Amino acid sequence: MKECLNLITERRSITFFDPTKEVPEEVIKEILEVSATAPSGYNIQPWEVIVVKDKEKKRRLKEICYGQQKVEDASANIVFIANTKAGFEHVDKVLDSWIDLGYVPAENRDMLREKILEGWKDKEKAKRKAIRDCAFFGMTVMIAARAYGLETHPMEGFDEEALKEFLSIDKDKIVIMVLAIGYKHPEKKLFPRAYRFKFEEFGKIV
Ligand SMILES: Cc1cc2nc3c(=O)[nH]c(=O)nc-3n(C[C@H](O)[C@H](O)[C@H](O)COP(=O)(O)O)c2cc1C
């Protein structure tokens, strides 16, 4: 338990990455697959990623991220994309799996399909669902990365339009975050963690 808590509480947004240390592609893929066990509404998994690892492409991505140096220094950057059409695109695979595994009888398929898609027809609802689930996935990646001895830095500071054009991302999809991933620079020190609100400030038990 302590180990898991440490992975959470010792995570920081690492500003200084070691530009000389590479994370193998296989490790990044493994972290992403482990993290894809994150939960999602009706198991629709409305997330996609593009991993930017190539040096030249990282340089262009840095410009799109308003010059944030960590983008270039990190071994890679994972672009998290919320797919607002995932309900329609993934529903059949989800239902196949449920029926194969015996979660639901085959005769309930059409009724369930309709019920699941109901939540994806309205554009605003679909956006909220896709962003919410994609964010769970993103947080899981940050924690899983630490279990592999890696550090991360989430970023919302990017020009979404330019990023979509650069990576040919569909206009209906939403880029929720760029996540730098790599090893911390051994000589750079981070500031201590800044103030976190206490339970009494953000919660109540009723
Ligand atoms: C969705 C998201 C977007 C963020 N965007 C940026 C960013 O563009 N640039 C940056 O320097 N930090 C960014 N941060 C990092 C936060 O500033 C950082 O998480 C916060 O100050 C707490 O620090 P800690 O993560 O080290 O605990 C972002 C964090 C999140 C979760």
Side-chain angles (χ1 to χ4, degrees), residues 68-158:
Q68 300 196 56
Q69 185 59 37
K70 48 195 168 268
V71 173
E72 193 177 342
D73 292 344
S75 177
N77 294 270
I78 305 170
V79 177
F80 285 82
I81 304 156
N83 180 3
T84 57
K85 293 181 180 159
F88 293 92
E89 292 171 9
H90 295 181
V91 67
D92 287 313
K93 223 172 205 165
V94 167
L95 286 170
D96 287 348
S97 152
W98 283 356
I99 290 165
D100 284 351
L101 293 168
Y103 284 27
V104 290
E107 61 265 30
N108 288 3
R109 186 187 183 100
D110 291 348
M111 181 267 292
L112 250 174
R113 194 173 189 281
E114 198 42 47
K115 194 171 163 205
I116 293 171
L117 291 182
E118 204 44 56
W120 289 88
K121 284 178 187 159
D122 178 88
K123 276 198 166 170
E124 268 317 301
K125 270 193 196 162
K127 257 190 190 177
R128 285 172 58 170
K129 287 164 82 64
I131 292 170
R132 180 172 52 216
D133 290 342
C134 191
F136 290 147
F137 175 53
M139 186 68 241
T140 309
V141 171
M142 286 186 249
I143 296 167
R146 299 217 52 256
Y148 284 77
L150 298 169
E151 304 288 352
T152 58
H153 194 126
M155 282 167 273
E156 63 186 347
F158 53 83

Side-chain angles (χ1 to χ4, degrees), residues 23 28 51-53 58 70-71 74-78 179-182:
V23 182
I28 296 178
V51 180
V52 180
K53 210 170 181 309
K58 280 197 296 183
K70 48 195 168 268
V71 173
S75 177
N77 294 270
I78 305 170
L179 186 72
I181 184 165

Side-chain angles (χ1 to χ4, degrees), residues 47-58:
W47 49 69
E48 290 175 6
V49 294
I50 298 176
V51 180
V52 180
K53 210 170 181 309
D54 172 78
K55 272 197 166 54
E56 269 313 306
K57 289 196 170 70
K58 280 197 296 183

Side-chain angles (χ1 to χ4, degrees), residues 11-15 68 70 142 153-158 176-177 190 193-194 196:
R11 180 215 57 78
R12 294 295 310 279
S13 296
I14 297 299
T15 313
Q68 300 196 56
K70 48 195 168 268
M142 286 186 249
H153 194 126
M155 282 167 273
E156 63 186 347
F158 53 83
I176 69 156
M177 162 171 89
L190 286 185
R193 191 193 288 290
R196 287 303 209 259

Side-chain angles (χ1 to χ4, degrees), residues 2-69:
K2 189 159 181 287
E3 226 166 80
C4 176
L5 292 183
N6 288 346
L7 294 178
I8 295 169
T9 58
E10 290 168 10
R11 180 215 57 78
R12 294 295 310 279
S13 296
I14 297 299
T15 313
F16 307 107
F17 286 92
D18 184 342
T20 65
K21 279 178 97 175
E22 284 280 316
V23 182
E25 260 179 56
E26 288 315 310
V27 171
I28 296 178
K29 282 187 198 164
E30 199 172 307
I31 290 170
L32 289 166
E33 282 195 355
V34 165
S35 304
T37 56
S40 58
Y42 283 116
N43 198 27
I44 288 291
Q45 305 163 60
W47 49 69
E48 290 175 6
V49 294
I50 298 176
V51 180
V52 180
K53 210 170 181 309
D54 172 78
K55 272 197 166 54
E56 269 313 306
K57 289 196 170 70
K58 280 197 296 183
R59 252 176 235 141
R60 173 68 188 126
L61 184 62
K62 178 178 103 172
E63 287 171 10
I64 292 169
C65 293
Y66 307 122
Q68 300 196 56
Q69 185 59 37

